[in-house]
Amino acid sequence: MSFREDGAAALEWAARYLERVGELPVLAQVAPGDIRARLPAAPPEHAEPFADILRDLDEVLLPGVTHWQHPRFFAYFATTASEPGILAELLVATLNNVGFLWRTSPALTELELLTMDWLAQLLGLPEGWHGHIEDTASTSTLATCIVAKHVTGRNVVVCSEHAHSSVDKAARMLRMELRKAPVDGDFRMRVDHVDVSDAAIVVATVGTTSTASIDPVPEAAEAARDAGAWLHVDAAYAGAAWVCPELRESIAGVERADSLVVNAHKWLLTPMDCSCLWTSRSDDFRDAFSLVPEYLRTPEEVTSLSEFGPALGRRFRALKLWAVLRCFGRDGLQAAIREHVRLAALFESWVRVEPGWEVVAPRHFSLVCFRREGSDAENEALLERVNATGEIFLSHTKLGGRYVLRLAIGNARTTEVDVRRAWDVLRAAR
Amino acid sequence: MSFREDGAAALEWAARYLERVGELPVLAQVAPGDIRARLPAAPPEHAEPFADILRDLDEVLLPGVTHWQHPRFFAYFATTASEPGILAELLVATLNNVGFLWRTSPALTELELLTMDWLAQLLGLPEGWHGHIEDTASTSTLATCIVAKHVTGRNVVVCSEHAHSSVDKAARMLRMELRKAPVDGDFRMRVDHVDVSDAAIVVATVGTTSTASIDPVPEAAEAARDAGAWLHVDAAYAGAAWVCPELRESIAGVERADSLVVNAHKWLLTPMDCSCLWTSRSDDFRDAFSLVPEYLRTPEEVTSLSEFGPALGRRFRALKLWAVLRCFGRDGLQAAIREHVRLAALFESWVRVEPGWEVVAPRHFSLVCFRREGSDAENEALLERVNATGEIFLSHTKLGGRYVLRLAIGNARTTEVDVRRAWDVLRAAR
């Protein structure tokens, strides 16, 4: 193949995709098995041209793609792979560095530590924390539970009933006991309603998945300290907001955390995967994970980032975070976050004044939880109807047993026109 | 930024890098801290042009990069990010699909299952196995240990003393007891010398890290079956060789495995990360990992790949594996593997006839273990001297207490001239 020629075609495909993604149905309109059925069951015997990949990407795969880059993707937590992040991934793959030791790529190791420091400064975190990148918040949480178990010798995970399922999953994988605190009327963890005394770890969430509610981190920190437990703050989505000083109310208490996760691939314009994990207790992380067999010993006296988490092999993910932080700058990141919060507030205001609709949880950051008057079944059917239009894609949750719609704004291409369209589609689908 | 303009510059940078990588010092010639010291300690306030990223990549970062794409990278297991794989990563980042549910990208889910079936066919695996992609073999092994523990209710991991450190790490993370079998004179697990009776899992390795030795999988399978233990085969490196029928001797017994890992990012021309994990017991995987909270429930009756491993978020890694399998085809992959094996055999033959040098382990696949006459310290110093030349990069291991050099061939750009150069540099460094 000609790398330049095929590369130019791939790049043009990418450029065109980003231009037209808003015209595609946001949620893939296919049935299970449709895509696979259109592809050969056996692998090719001989080389095929790269152009065929691009052709089949359009003709076969694209109808089965749910468009996360679509400006009207409002499901889960909406994300953005920004242009600098995308191009950085091209560079990451080209270099193909595997940073399991410092010497296998000093630049990877040192840039990762530096960009994590940069991001810590942007978010207003305490100085001196050790930051490294994991693939997903699931892994960050799992890693943290491993460390907490290692450090405390205990086996109980405490979180709220609104904590992310990755906490449940980590506890299950590690065979730890999971103890869930109830939440108050605003879906915040009631730390005083759960026994923390024998906890290995307390997980407080800033920006829960269902409603973006904010657990009282100072109280959780207090309880964890009294119990000798680890305090982990899961701000996978909402931590990004701290780049804006006016959105830092929710950072209170985070300075007392033992660890913190913020996913740059959620609301910080970075392509999957880039889960940013900081700890104020890096020695404990290293104690839990460091394991250097003979074939990985090197003369340098330097720590390697694989000593801070489960995986040995590591991609050069720092390069994309670095590219994003530089190509947006502090004010660029702030502008993106502020616009999303503004749009969510706007949508919320529309729902509030519309007869037959209600906002069902306090709006935090860029997430609005709402529903139409009527039964759960009606709301569920409504959601499926609007998603089937291909115009917008929303997801749901349950609050107090009721089926609730969620509109999450997080794509950099989303404009007020898109949010207005979402509202129009929702009302038209009544 | 202009995506097309900046993209063209990034692509040109990548093309030039791949052309000139062989002229760069393969092991980064910097001291710890050098790279970081040359970068600003604080993040930028305002947006910077993407061109600055490319400039600093050249001027600041590149001296700190160890060039895994270099044709004379012979350390650890050498790898290749092939051109189709690199360009596919650009597409992966552009689409930015997060495949935690089938509906969040049907194409991602179905293409992953399909390409894993394709690869299973190419490698000669049994029909009907369930395959999915994890980031690294560390995660694949961790996931498998979790399943084995879940299924058997036991807590013992059995492997050989030559198993990869990721097995140790998984056992440590899960607080499982690790029991290591001794090896025979050819560094193969002596299954009959270890108590398997209460094992949750037996890990057999095809292609150990130190010497690429091949554990007797049929015996391990027998022992695991008798004990009611899970059999996991770690063929992270060497499994790729099975694409060649004449290299399939080592696949014997693998058909009886409960799970198998082969890293496509090692010897199958795919950029990091792409660890291929198959299981003949997919229901057990799903039982161990499936956890669907309300906000992830969807109407489709279809499994999601996040139900088969630790992470929830998943990149569209299948796209790069698909691109690689198609753009090389079976015969293209075979040609790459065969050439590497031929070159390793050639190097081995040179060492064998050279006075003062010896081959210290049977040569398997594309890895040669050798040393110079003399003390461990002398061999270690020799290795550091040759690596400091920037001409070649090798790593080491210890065998029977002796310091041993490893030459691993796995980069698609490596030619006979490069291997000859390695031998010249090694002999000149005496």
Side-chain angles (χ1 to χ4, degrees), chain A residues 36 46 66 117 290 331, chain B residues 36 46 103 117 172 290 331:
Chain A
R36 184 168 181 159
H46 311 295
T66 292
D117 276 359
S290 180
D331 52 13
Chain B
R36 184 169 181 156
H46 311 297
R103 70 155 46 187
D117 276 357
R172 187 175 172 187
S290 181
D331 53 11

Side-chain angles (χ1 to χ4, degrees), chain B residues 129-141:
Chain B
W129 282 12
H130 181 280
H132 78 278
I133 303 175
E134 293 286 349
D135 59 346
T136 63
S138 300
T139 303
S140 295
T141 298

Side-chain angles (χ1 to χ4, degrees), chain A residues 4 19 33 36 46 48 56 64 66 68 103-104 107 110 117 169 172 287 290 294 309 326 331 396, chain B residues 4 19 33 36 46 48 56 64 66 68 103-104 107 110 117 169 172 287 290 294-295 309 326 331 396:
Chain A
R4 280 192 176 79
E19 284 165 358
R36 184 168 181 159
H46 311 295
E48 298 175 2
D56 290 349
T66 292
W68 285 73
R103 69 154 48 186
T104 65
E110 298 189 13
D117 276 359
K169 198 164 175 178
R172 185 173 171 190
D287 278 352
S290 180
E294 180 58 37
R326 291 186 65 181
D331 52 13
H396 79 286
Chain B
R4 279 192 176 81
E19 285 166 356
R36 184 169 181 156
H46 311 297
E48 299 176 2
D56 290 349
T66 292
W68 284 73
R103 70 155 46 187
T104 66
E110 298 189 13
D117 276 357
K169 199 165 174 177
R172 187 175 172 187
D287 278 352
S290 181
E294 180 59 37
Y295 48 79
R326 291 186 64 180
D331 53 11
H396 80 285

Side-chain angles (χ1 to χ4, degrees), chain A residues 279-291:
Chain A
T279 180
S280 56
R281 296 170 66 174
S282 62
D283 287 350
D284 288 331
F285 263 77
R286 205 173 166 221
D287 278 352
F289 292 113
S290 180
L291 192 157

Side-chain angles (χ1 to χ4, degrees), chain A residues 160 182-184 186-192 202-206 213-223 231 233 250 252-254:
Chain A
S160 103
V183 292
D184 67 16
D186 288 344
F187 311 105
R188 296 176 298 204
M189 175 155 69
R190 299 195 66 169
V191 182
D192 54 337
V202 176
V203 179
T205 309
V206 176
S213 63
I214 301 156
D215 287 341
V217 181
E219 286 173 42
E222 198 74 13
L231 177 69
V233 175
S250 61
V254 172

Side-chain angles (χ1 to χ4, degrees), chain B residues 44-56:
Chain B
E45 294 299 315
H46 311 297
E48 299 176 2
F50 187 80
D52 288 6
I53 303 289
L54 294 178
R55 180 200 64 206
D56 290 349

Side-chain angles (χ1 to χ4, degrees), chain B residues 44 50 53 71 90 92 98 113 140 165 176 217 252 268 277 287 315 328 331 335:
Chain B
F50 187 80
I53 303 289
L90 170 68
V92 170
V98 188
L113 290 165
S140 295
S165 61
M176 296 176 81
V217 181
L268 280 172
L277 177 59
D287 278 352
R315 300 201 305 132
F328 285 89
D331 53 11

Side-chain angles (χ1 to χ4, degrees), chain A residues 1 52 55 63-64 88 101 117 154 167 181 190 192 344 403 418:
Chain A
M1 75 187 278
D52 288 4
R55 181 200 63 206
L101 295 175
D117 276 359
R154 299 178 185 170
V167 182
R190 299 195 66 169
D192 54 337
Y403 196 94
D418 296 304

